[in-house]
């Protein structure tokens, strides 16, 4: 049932090229038209939306953080991302001009269901992104976009996250095209890139051996810091959660610009830092943050976009993300971080598929 893999998590990491392909299938037509069969939001409705909430827990919340950047960039509608257990109790400001997007792999997370109901009760339309057909969330929401990731067994979410990102990009494009905030050529360029991601995701899996070796040398780390700017910051959060969840190594994700506001005090000789530098328009800024770390003796593993060699010789190790548009990079950047967390956990002898204290589906609050 594990298809020859040692753990479900590793199997599911490898299923991502196909899961991404399946989630895209039939949804981009004529180069740049988006077809979301169970989403019935009209141009009229979209024009009235003055705020979008994305609400979810854990990894699905991290997907929402990427969704915020992308929807705001493409559709120019303000987006607030919230943790479901916070949203449901804080009387969020919602009305009929609010659109709420809930994200849940299982479709059964108690807090996310409660948040969905709270949004509906206040007159918001709710679109659900979920992986389980017929789940509570798919039934309660007005509209649904399914992620066709297939069953996810490992507690640590991998292919659900990458397909949630795909779904959020599709929503962002759909809203933007209907609203007229994105030009058709740019939309086509994004669509073309999305279609190439399954292949690129496959290539990035080739880093397996290198990451395994890296993990073998670093699994004794006490603290690991993940740094990034913009979309890389969103991916850093997910990379950090993955590591904590399955390897029990303490880690934190920081927006790299925040370093000097406190975190830099934690960097000492040999501290492991994972620096994400795929966002070309933020590269120079990221480079100075990386220097802040290396100057203090931090040990940096960086991820950069293929073709940009500027980190060579500055950090201990650079791995390259197959060249893609920086807007869609998160979908593939996260994959080596999943592998890194996986191998760290394996090296430590952890129960990778069933980490202590955690359940796959959190159906009680
Ligand atoms: O089924 P859901 O997407 O609603 O689950 C949300 C979280 O419980 C889940 O993503 C959790 O954070 C994962 N174990 C993280 O890998």
């Amino acid at each position: 049932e594990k298809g020859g893999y040692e753990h479900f998590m590793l199997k599911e990491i490898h299923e991502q090229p196909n899961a991404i392909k399946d989630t895209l299938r039939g949804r981009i037509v004529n180069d740049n038209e988006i077809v979301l069969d169970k989403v019935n939001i009209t141009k009229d409705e979209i024009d009235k939306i003055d705020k979008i909430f994305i609400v979810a827990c854990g990894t699905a919340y991290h997907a929402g953080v990427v969704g915020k950047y992308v929807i705001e960039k493409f559709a120019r509608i303000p987006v607030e991302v919230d943790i479901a257990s916070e949203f449901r109790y804080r009387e969020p400001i919602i009305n009929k001009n609010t659109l709420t997007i809930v994200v849940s792999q299982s479709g059964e997370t108690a807090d996310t269901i409660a948040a969905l109901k709270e949004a509906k009760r206040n007159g918001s339309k709710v679109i659900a992104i979920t992986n389980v057909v017929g789940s509570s969330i798919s039934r309660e929401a007005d509209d649904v976009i399914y992620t066709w990731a297939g069953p996810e067994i490992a507690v640590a979410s991998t292919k659900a996250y990458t397909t949630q990102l795909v779904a959020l990009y599709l929503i962002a494009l759909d809203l933007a095209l209907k609203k007229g905030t994105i030009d058709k050529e740019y939309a086509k360029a994004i669509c073309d890139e999305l279609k190439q991601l399954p292949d690129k995701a496959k290539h990035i899996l080739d880093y397996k051996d290198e990451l395994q070796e890296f993990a073998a040398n670093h699994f004794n780390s006490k603290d690991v810091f993940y740094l990034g700017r913009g979309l890389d910051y969103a991916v850093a959060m997910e990379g950090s959660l993955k590591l904590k969840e399955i390897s029990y190594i303490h880690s934190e994700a920081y927006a790299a610009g925040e370093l000097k506001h406190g975190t830099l005090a934690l960097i000492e000789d040999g501290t492991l830092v994972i620096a994400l530098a795929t966002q070309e328009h933020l590269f120079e800024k990221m480079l100075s943050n990386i220097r802040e770390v290396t100057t203090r003796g931090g040990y940096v593993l960086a991820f950069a976009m293929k073709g940009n060699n500027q980190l060579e010789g500055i950090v201990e190790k650079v791995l390259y993300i197959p060249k893609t548009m920086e807007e869609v990079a998160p979908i593939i950047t996260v994959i080596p971080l999943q592998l890194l967390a996986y191998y760290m956990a394996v090296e430590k002898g952890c129960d990778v598929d069933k980490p202590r204290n955690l359940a796959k589906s959190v159906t009680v609050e």
Side-chain angles (χ1 to χ4, degrees):
E1 49 177 28
K2 289 183 200 144
Y5 292 99
E6 204 180 326
H7 297 97
F8 281 109
M9 183 180 175
L10 191 60
K11 171 172 178 265
E12 289 162 5
I13 289 173
H14 281 80
E15 285 170 347
Q16 290 179 111
N18 279 330
I20 295 167
K21 197 184 283 170
D22 290 344
T23 303
L24 284 169
R25 183 167 297 124
R27 288 169 166 173
I28 299 176
V29 297
N30 302 331
D31 289 346
N32 60 2
E33 283 168 39
I34 307 298
V35 180
L36 299 169
D37 47 342
K38 294 189 174 61
V39 177
N40 304 307
I41 191 156
T42 60
K43 173 168 172 45
D44 244 24
E45 280 178 283
I46 292 170
D47 286 339
K48 289 194 190 110
I49 297 170
D50 55 18
K51 180 178 190 174
I52 297 177
F53 275 114
I54 304 180
V55 189
C57 305
T59 285
Y61 167 79
H62 293 151
V65 180
V66 173
K68 172 191 164 74
Y69 280 92
V70 174
I71 294 173
E72 289 190 342
K73 182 171 172 71
F74 296 173
R76 309 306 296 159
I77 304 170
V79 181
E80 199 173 322
V81 195
D82 211 346
I83 293 166
S85 55
E86 290 296 314
F87 180 90
R88 66 180 290 195
Y89 292 120
R90 75 176 168 86
E91 295 181 51
I93 302 163
I94 309 169
N95 58 45
K96 59 177 183 3
N97 297 327
T98 313
L99 172 67
T100 305
I101 301 172
V102 294
V103 188
S104 173
Q105 187 283 129
S106 63
E108 302 298 344
T109 300
D111 283 320
T112 312
I113 298 174
L116 182 167
K117 289 184 175 156
E118 172 72 7
K120 274 183 85 171
R121 202 169 57 76
N122 288 284
S124 169
K125 180 178 179 114
V126 178
I127 301 179
I129 296 176
T130 181
N131 195 38
V132 179
V133 177
S135 56
S136 306
I137 282 175
S138 75
R139 284 183 278 113
E140 298 271 350
D142 297 298
D143 292 351
V144 185
I145 300 181
Y146 287 109
T147 49
W148 298 118
E152 194 182 62
I153 310 291
V155 165
S157 185
T158 53
K159 60 180 180 168
Y161 174 80
T162 37
T163 56
Q164 284 160 359
L165 294 189
V166 170
L168 286 159
Y169 281 89
L170 292 172
I171 296 184
L173 287 168
D174 189 37
L175 295 174
L177 286 163
K178 287 183 176 147
K179 224 178 163 234
T181 48
I182 191 175
D183 94 48
K184 292 257 163 66
E185 278 309 300
Y186 180 58
K188 178 179 181 307
I190 299 282
C191 289
D192 287 349
E193 279 302 317
L194 287 172
K195 288 188 234 166
Q196 288 181 39
L197 289 182
D199 272 347
K200 292 179 181 174
K202 211 175 283 168
H203 280 128
I204 217 167
L205 291 167
D206 293 342
Y207 276 135
K208 229 171 11 189
D209 297 343
E210 239 170 301
L211 288 166
Q212 181 164 23
E213 196 189 317
F214 186 89
N217 294 324
H218 293 276
F219 71 94
N220 278 326
S221 303
K222 286 271 163 297
D223 305 283
V224 180
F225 296 96
Y226 288 74
L227 307 178
R229 284 175 173 258
L231 287 169
D232 280 335
Y233 172 45
V235 177
M237 291 181 189
E238 175 57 9
S240 167
L241 175 61
K242 226 71 311 168
L243 186 74
K244 287 182 254 216
E245 183 176 22
I246 58 171
S247 75
Y248 316 145
I249 297 171
H250 169 254
S251 81
E252 302 282 344
Y254 285 99
E258 274 290 287
L259 275 182
K260 24 170 126 42
H261 300 285
T263 318
L264 209 45
L266 292 168
I267 306 293
E268 35 182 63
D269 215 25
T271 306
L272 179 56
V273 173
I274 314 295
L276 308 182
T278 73
Q279 299 294 297
E280 295 292 331
H281 76 289
L282 297 166
F283 186 83
E284 291 302 321
K285 301 285 162 197
M286 194 58 207
L287 181 59
S288 15
N289 298 134
I290 289 172
R291 288 189 195 279
E292 287 164 3
V293 169
T294 52
T295 311
R296 271 103 194 156
Y299 186 103
V300 177
L301 164 62
F303 290 88
M305 195 77 90
K306 194 154 191 178
N308 181 343
N309 298 331
Q310 295 178 69
L311 293 172
E312 297 287 346
I314 293 177
V315 300
E316 264 71 21
K317 191 175 176 66
V318 197
L319 294 180
Y320 293 96
I321 304 297
K323 181 93 186 109
T324 183
M325 286 171 78
E326 58 180 48
E327 291 88 328
V328 303
I331 300 176
I332 47 177
T333 308
V334 73
I335 296 175
L337 304 187
Q338 297 166 343
L339 286 167
L340 178 65
Y342 173 79
Y343 286 116
M344 293 285 242
V346 169
E347 290 293 336
K348 285 190 69 177
C350 298
D351 187 350
V352 174
D353 283 337
K354 286 197 171 57
R356 67 188 182 203
N357 311 341
L358 298 174
K360 180 64 183 163
S361 191
V362 185
T363 53
V364 290
E365 63 173 303

